[in-house]
Amino acid sequence: MEIAVQWIRTTWTKKSRGGEAAARRNATPVGFVIPSMAPSSAHVVRMYEQNGFEPYDGEEDVRRVDVQLREADGRLRVQPRVEPLFGLPPRPRRPPAVRLAPGQWVRWQLNYRFSSASGMQDWSYWMDTFNIAYGPVDADVFLSEPTVHVDERGPLR
């Protein structure tokens, strides 16, 4: 069965926590048209504060995307990976994995805050959005409303 994977990462610093820069960041898309790619590839989109949150896209081997995908009993089990001490907010209880039937798709969003190793630099932030569809889909599938939306974003202070 076909699996379409899109991984969007938006990164920023304290400069984009308020005002016009925050408005630009908050207006970034959460889904893009999927380009033609090899079946084992994921569509990866990056948006950085220093580039005005302009989207840059590419391909990545789907095994290098931070999400577990497992087919069983005619369904696709989807669960993003999060390292136990990997930034804030803490995630003591994570939502259960999503099981997609053919023709369904999930949008799963997580956010993070990091400090520099020495604590001498500003905080940095990122948000990951995983759009994952099970079965053949149109290139614009991720521009529509998902079958399932998991919002695992937490307060970043």
Side-chain angles (χ1 to χ4, degrees), residues 26-100:
N26 290 331
T28 58
V30 292
F32 293 86
V33 172
I34 307 166
S36 296
M37 299 181 301
S40 62
S41 292
H43 180 219
V44 177
V45 180
R46 298 290 182 252
M47 293 179 281
Y48 303 100
E49 174 187 72
Q50 63 264 33
N51 296 57
F53 300 106
E54 285 294 316
Y56 296 92
D57 66 338
E59 288 184 41
E60 184 91 39
D61 186 302
V62 76
R63 293 173 296 199
R64 298 194 66 201
V65 176
D66 288 336
V67 67
Q68 284 182 331
L69 303 172
R70 189 173 308 133
E71 286 182 283
D73 302 323
R75 292 193 174 259
L76 177 67
R77 182 181 183 279
V78 178
Q79 178 77 50
R81 293 184 203 97
V82 175
E83 298 295 324
L85 299 174
F86 199 67
L88 294 172
R91 300 180 204 281
R93 298 182 95 138
R94 299 216 39 232
V98 170
R99 291 175 45 89
L100 299 174

